[in-house]
Amino acid sequence: MSSDLSEALRRLVAERADHLCEYCLVSEADLYHGCEVDHVVSVKRGGATVRGNLAYACFHCNRHKGTDLGSLSLRTGKLVRFFNPRSDCWPQHFCLNEACIDPVTEIGEVTSRMLEFNHPERLAFRRLLMEAGRYLTVEALARLKE
Ligand SMILES: [Zn+2]
């Protein structure tokens, strides 16, 4: 993360995301490490620290994404970009099958695979959150209707 991220910009990103990870939709209130500001296009790849290039991401999504912009599709072998929370609509690329986040596009496929949305531990965690009524939150459900 770039050091020129102001507290005001960090707050804007968090509030715009309803304090949810914009990739896996888990609420930061349920995460030990909370969420952090992600550069959609990383600083390493020339991305700027501006509101249009920032997203709110949980530790797991952000670490697995790293500085990558995409990956090779398992189906076609072609380079496919990741889901972009600033320009893409979550329900156009993913659907929920109980706690499992299933991809519905190639962008969804590379994103869910590379960010390890459905790693067994993350799946078990989301199942626990669902049982506790914490996943999907009202804010997350609203995003699914966008
Ligand atoms: Zn996440």
Side-chain angles (χ1 to χ4, degrees):
M1 188 184 314
S2 173
S3 61
D4 57 356
L5 179 67
S6 69
E7 181 53 33
L9 190 52
R10 199 200 81 73
R11 194 174 325 112
L12 178 146
V13 171
E15 290 173 0
R16 178 177 63 188
D18 292 319
H19 299 271
L20 302 171
C21 172
E22 295 187 85
Y23 296 97
C24 71
L25 305 182
V26 170
S27 171
E28 76 171 338
D30 295 316
L31 297 164
Y32 181 76
H33 294 288
C35 285
E36 48 198 33
V37 175
D38 162 56
H39 284 78
V40 176
V41 176
S42 66
V43 173
K44 181 179 179 181
R45 309 283 180 207
T49 305
V50 294
R51 57 192 296 171
N53 187 44
L54 300 175
Y56 217 41
C58 73
F59 176 85
H60 296 287
C61 287
N62 207 14
R63 287 304 170 282
H64 287 106
K65 179 173 169 279
T67 62
D68 294 348
L69 302 176
S71 188
L72 299 178
S73 164
L74 288 182
R75 191 173 63 80
T76 65
K78 291 184 178 170
L79 182 62
V80 176
R81 70 172 174 86
F82 287 144
F83 170 75
N84 180 339
R86 296 285 64 79
S87 59
D88 296 328
C89 187
W90 201 93
Q92 289 179 355
H93 296 282
F94 311 101
C95 67
L96 279 167
N97 178 6
E98 299 191 2
C100 189
I101 300 172
D102 288 336
V104 294
T105 62
E106 281 194 308
I107 287 171
E109 188 278 316
V110 297
T111 305
S112 69
R113 178 167 43 88
M114 297 307 292
L115 274 58
E116 297 193 7
F117 284 171
N118 298 313
H119 182 283
E121 288 179 14
R122 296 181 74 187
L123 206 48
F125 180 62
R126 287 199 303 272
R127 280 197 192 103
L128 286 174
L129 290 176
M130 283 182 117
E131 287 169 15
R134 299 286 313 155
Y135 189 84
L136 303 159
T137 60
V138 172
E139 293 81 8
L141 285 169
R143 285 177 181 266
L144 296 181
K145 293 177 182 152
E146 286 175 357

